[in-house]
Amino acid sequence: MNVLKAMDSVSIDPMKFRRALGNFATGVTIMTAQNEQGEKVGVTANSFNSVSLDPALILWSIDKNSSSFSVFEQATHFAVNVLSGSQIELSNKFARRNVDKYEGTLHREGAGKAPILEHCSAVFECERHQIIEGGDHWIIIGKVVNFHDEGRSPLVYHQGAYSGVTPHPLLQVKDQQVESEQDIGQMHQGHLYSNVCYLMSRAFKFYQTDYIPKQLVTGFRTSEARLLLVLGSGTASKKEDLPRDIAMPMHQVEQAAEILQKDGLLLESDGFYQLTEKGRKTAHYLFDIADSHQNDVFKKYPEHEKEIFIKILRDIAGVA
C-alpha cells in the first residue's frame, strides 16, 4: 500500500512528458464541424486514431479549455481532414486563435454540414458517437459514415516539427530488378548491356525509385509537381505545349492545372499558364529537391563527365 501511495505521488514534468510523446510520429489533421446555427469550427490536431473496424469508429481529443468544443459537442457530425504534405500553411492557420479560419480556405459541406477541406490525403466524415472525459481533454469518438482516400502523401509531425513520409532505406530492395538481371543473364547479356534504349529505360526506373518518393512528400501528385517544374523553368507556358514537356495527356495537365489554380499557385490567361508568387516559391522548393537528388546521384562522377552525360541526353531528347 505504501508503495502504491509513493507511486501516486510521483509528479510528471509536463514539458519532459510532451517531449517524450513527441518521439511518436503522427499524422496531422484538421477537425471540422458546424452546428445548427451555422457556426463553423476547425482545429489542428494530431490525436486522431482508429478505434474499431466493425463498426468503423475513430477518436480524437480536444482541450477542455478550447472555445471550439461547444460546437463539436452540439454538431451531429464532424470531419477528420488528414492533411497532405503541401498543407503546412493550412495546419498553421487552423492552429491559430482569433482568426477567420475559413476565409480563403477551399471547402465544401459533408455529412451534417461538417466542412470538408480540399486536397487532403484523406477525409473521414463522422457521426458524433460518444464524448468521454479524459483528464484535461475531452475524447470524441466518431462513427465513420463516409470517407475519401485521395492518395496524397501525408503531412507528419515528429518532435515538434513537420516532416514527411519516405520509404525506409531497408525496404528499397530492388527485388524485381535483381530477378530481371538473372533472366537477362540467360540471353545475350553483354549485348543488352550495350543497348542505349535498354540502359536509358533501366536508368530512368532506378532514378525514379528514389526520387519520386522525395517529390511526393510535398503532397503534390506527380502531374502537379511536373507542371510546376515546367512552368518554373520557363520552358513552356502555352497549354498545347505542356503535354510534350510534362509527358502526360492533356486531360491530366488540365486537371493538375485546375488543382494548382484553386490553391493559388497559377493563373490561366488566353491559353497560357503563369505561376503566381506562391507558385514560384513552390516550384523553387521542388527544384531544390530535384537538384539535391541529382547531386547525390552524380557525386561519384567528375563534373566534366556529368556535363557530357547531360549534353548527350539533351541531344537525344532534341532539347536545344
Side-chain angles (χ1 to χ4, degrees):
M1 181 65 70
N2 291 336
V3 173
L4 291 176
K5 285 183 178 180
M7 291 176 63
D8 289 340
S9 65
V10 174
S11 61
I12 293 181
D13 185 317
M15 292 302 295
K16 291 181 179 179
F17 183 52
R18 182 186 292 272
R19 280 197 296 270
L21 290 173
N23 288 304
F24 182 64
T26 68
V28 183
T29 68
I30 293 178
M31 302 293 179
T32 56
Q34 182 173 188
N35 61 17
E36 291 185 358
Q37 290 71 44
E39 291 181 89
K40 294 195 293 285
V41 293
V43 296
T44 301
N46 67 340
S47 55
F48 168 67
N49 214 328
S50 62
V51 175
S52 167
L53 292 177
D54 187 15
L57 299 177
I58 59 88
L59 65 75
W60 67 288
S61 61
I62 184 171
D63 194 308
K64 285 184 175 180
N65 294 322
S66 172
S67 59
S68 300
F69 173 69
S70 60
V71 175
F72 283 107
E73 186 179 30
Q74 297 161 10
T76 60
H77 294 71
F78 65 88
V80 182
N81 301 273
V82 182
L83 300 189
S84 70
S86 66
Q87 295 178 307
I88 291 178
E89 290 183 10
L90 198 63
S91 173
N92 291 334
K93 181 179 182 180
F94 275 78
R96 298 189 192 106
R97 297 181 179 181
N98 304 319
V99 297
D100 185 350
K101 299 177 180 179
Y102 288 95
E103 182 182 3
T105 300
L106 299 173
H107 67 283
R108 60 183 175 82
E109 290 186 355
K113 295 187 176 181
I116 294 177
L117 308 181
E118 293 193 13
H119 310 323
C120 293
S121 286
V123 176
F124 299 90
E125 300 179 59
C126 303
E127 178 185 352
R128 179 168 48 78
H129 181 72
Q130 191 176 5
I131 298 179
I132 303 172
E133 187 174 10
D136 56 9
H137 278 60
W138 292 109
I139 300 170
I140 302 179
I141 300 176
K143 182 178 181 180
V144 179
V145 296
N146 195 16
F147 67 90
H148 315 273
D149 183 356
E150 302 296 334
R152 294 174 178 271
S153 184
L155 185 63
V156 175
Y157 198 68
H158 176 243
Q159 284 291 19
Y162 291 117
S163 186
V165 178
T166 57
H168 195 284
L170 292 180
L171 298 180
Q172 296 183 23
V173 180
K174 304 173 177 66
D175 291 330
Q176 293 182 348
Q177 286 85 347
V178 172
E179 291 173 2
S180 66
E181 282 182 16
Q182 293 171 348
D183 294 338
I184 292 165
Q186 304 298 320
M187 47 180 288
H188 310 296
Q189 180 174 348
H191 179 73
L192 189 58
Y193 280 10
S194 299
N195 183 276
V196 173
C197 183
Y198 168 76
L199 290 175
M200 287 177 61
S201 174
R202 177 165 171 161
F204 180 73
K205 187 174 182 179
F206 270 88
Y207 194 92
Q208 295 281 76
T209 297
D210 293 331
Y211 170 60
I212 291 298
K214 296 176 183 177
Q215 189 183 77
L216 292 177
V217 164
T218 63
F220 294 104
R221 292 192 176 98
T222 300
S223 58
E224 297 159 17
R226 286 186 184 178
L227 181 54
L228 285 167
L229 288 169
V230 169
L231 294 176
S233 68
T235 55
S237 61
K238 197 173 183 180
K239 184 188 291 187
E240 63 187 39
D241 293 335
L242 290 171
R244 176 201 64 200
D245 288 356
I246 298 177
M248 286 186 171
M250 178 59 82
H251 75 273
Q252 289 190 23
V253 173
E254 292 177 335
Q255 184 180 52
E258 182 180 355
I259 292 172
L260 296 178
Q261 194 167 1
K262 286 182 178 179
D263 283 345
L265 297 171
L266 66 78
L267 301 171
E268 180 181 1
S269 177
D270 297 327
F272 285 83
Y273 290 128
Q274 183 178 1
L275 293 181
T276 63
E277 179 63 25
K278 181 181 178 183
R280 287 192 291 272
K281 290 180 179 179
T282 304
H284 180 74
Y285 173 53
L286 290 170
F287 274 118
D288 284 345
I289 294 174
D291 291 343
S292 175
H293 182 71
Q294 179 172 301
N295 291 337
D296 285 342
V297 171
F298 284 97
K299 63 185 178 183
K300 62 181 179 180
Y301 301 102
E303 186 65 24
H304 74 277
E305 290 187 3
K306 172 184 171 183
E307 292 175 358
I308 292 172
F309 178 76
I310 292 175
K311 182 181 183 302
I312 292 172
L313 286 181
R314 289 170 65 91
D315 287 343
I316 294 174
V319 177

